[in-house]
Amino acid sequence: MLTLIEQGQQESGLSDVHYNLVGFSKWELNDEAGAIEAYKHSLAINPSNVSSLRGLCLLLNGKGRDKEALPYAKRWRGIVPEDPEAVEWSSVIEENCR
């Protein structure tokens, strides 16, 4: 199924939501590098895609790449400042960058 979605990209292009789903799927398949790339594609199309921001922050944090995650964490928290998960993760990532 994932292959079909990615092939569809070549024919008609994928939306940010499609790339988000590809990112989630690749993450579930333990292709973290592919997931990060897909989430970044999603955000290139729609910088406010909260799900892609969340996924990218969690993945990068899990890989010890907090400095790279920091701008995404700040954007995530800026979009949904009352979301407890966004607040928690942005605080963790900011603390790890100190």
Side-chain angles (χ1 to χ4, degrees):
M1 183 60 115
L2 186 56
T3 302
L4 292 174
I5 291 171
E6 289 178 316
Q7 287 174 346
Q9 168 195 2
Q10 297 168 351
E11 296 172 14
S12 63
L14 295 179
S15 72
D16 64 305
V17 174
H18 289 109
Y19 277 112
N20 180 70
L21 293 172
V22 168
F24 180 77
S25 298
K26 288 189 176 207
W27 190 1
E28 288 291 308
L29 294 170
N30 296 315
D31 179 2
E32 292 178 348
I36 290 169
E37 181 181 329
Y39 284 134
K40 285 182 177 181
H41 261 68
S42 173
L43 293 169
I45 296 168
N46 177 5
S48 298
N49 185 310
V50 172
S51 183
S52 293
L53 288 167
R54 178 190 178 278
L56 193 52
C57 285
L58 297 180
L59 274 169
L60 291 172
N61 172 264
K63 303 290 278 173
R65 295 164 57 182
D66 290 300
K67 287 186 180 181
E68 188 178 348
L70 186 58
Y72 301 108
K74 288 181 178 181
R75 191 181 328 159
W76 177 22
R77 187 173 182 174
I79 294 169
V80 288
E82 302 300 321
D83 179 348
E85 190 177 32
V87 171
E88 178 184 348
W89 279 102
S90 65
S91 296
V92 166
I93 290 168
E94 286 177 17
E95 183 64 31
N96 290 345
C97 287
R98 291 186 187 157

